Amino acid sequence: MQQSQGVGAGRIIILNGAPRSGKSSIVEAIQAGFDGVWVNLGVDVYVRHATPLRYRPGIGLRPGGERPDLEPLIPRFYAALYASIAAHSRLGLNVVAEFGHHDAYSRPLNILSNCARQLAGLPTLFVGVHCSLDVVMQRRLAEGPERQGTYIPVSPDMAVPAPVLTWQQQVHRPGIYDLEVDTSTNSPQACAEEIRQALERGIPNPSAFERLAAETA
């Protein structure tokens, strides 16, 4: 697909982190505060509004190989969504998208590197969104009672559901980013400002996605 004549590629921000790490709040801050049009094409939008109910959580599958029956669809879901991200950028629209990328399925699917190759040549900033376990748990508990099964002790005064701990262990592998932010120490607006400043400095060469694409090419 060619860029429209006279239209430069839109910038792309990919946020990666565990559930309740604050990614959606950063997306909101970017859409509210950045110049230009920023289209949200992340996991929440895709799962809640595009994925048929019987195939959910789709690309939101947790680490651990819990639904191998859905796994054949996951690479195609991701490929379709990243193709849309690329199409928006080529038409001059900025995109911000939040994901929980991991490769802890019942077998490795190498989705992140394949997604990186789909955005080859497009200005993509890959941002790792970190958040401490205690803050993640505070956010979870504020939403209501937990129904996540076995809790695992992580310190003398804190235990967490097994899926929460697994997310923290898996979502930042291999940990190759252009920028990393922490929502347990900074507000969404402050994290968005860090991202804005990174965009103004320019995307590194090679970018994180270029390095990820080359790893398994």
Side-chain angles (χ1 to χ4, degrees):
M1 180 178 178
Q2 301 295 318
Q3 286 178 217
S4 298
Q5 186 174 3
V7 177
R11 292 170 294 175
I12 300 169
I13 299 169
I14 304 292
L15 307 175
N16 186 59
R20 298 174 183 82
S21 60
K23 304 185 300 297
S24 296
S25 296
I26 296 174
V27 170
E28 292 176 1
I30 289 171
Q31 288 188 305
F34 283 23
D35 292 338
V37 176
W38 286 88
V39 180
N40 178 5
L41 292 177
V43 61
D44 284 351
V45 171
Y46 195 72
V47 171
R48 293 176 184 174
H49 303 293
T51 305
L53 186 60
R54 65 183 181 276
Y55 296 117
R56 296 179 190 175
I59 63 172
L61 270 179
R62 300 182 298 188
E66 63 182 355
R67 290 291 305 275
D69 58 306
L70 291 181
E71 288 180 13
L73 287 169
I74 303 308
R76 284 187 283 164
F77 280 158
Y78 267 113
L81 185 50
Y82 267 81
S84 180
I85 291 171
H88 278 70
S89 173
R90 292 187 180 109
L91 289 170
L93 296 169
N94 303 311
V95 176
V96 57
E98 39 84 21
F99 296 102
H101 275 293
H102 66 84
D103 205 27
Y105 299 96
S106 62
R107 61 181 179 84
L109 298 178
N110 300 314
I111 289 171
L112 181 56
S113 58
N114 290 331
C115 290
R117 283 192 284 274
Q118 285 188 262
L119 301 188
L122 298 174
T124 304
L125 188 76
F126 192 34
V127 182
V129 180
H130 298 274
C131 186
S132 64
L133 264 175
D134 59 333
V135 173
V136 167
M137 286 303 298
Q138 290 171 16
R139 292 171 181 172
R140 290 175 65 89
L141 293 171
E143 295 175 2
E146 295 301 320
R147 296 183 297 277
Q148 297 294 331
T150 305
Y151 276 60
I152 298 175
V154 295
S155 70
D157 57 353
M158 183 172 66
V160 301
V164 174
L165 188 59
T166 304
W167 270 115
Q168 293 287 100
Q169 294 168 339
Q170 297 292 335
V171 76
H172 293 297
R173 295 181 180 180
I176 297 173
Y177 294 113
D178 298 306
L179 175 70
E180 297 179 71
V181 298
D182 191 331
T183 66
S184 54
T185 57
N186 292 298
S187 68
Q189 291 74 23
C191 292
E193 177 60 21
E194 289 185 58
I195 293 169
R196 187 187 64 78
Q197 292 178 11
L199 289 175
E200 289 183 351
R201 291 193 298 269
I203 295 169
N205 184 22
S207 69
F209 261 27
E210 287 172 327
R211 287 180 284 156
L212 286 164
E215 278 202 337
T216 56

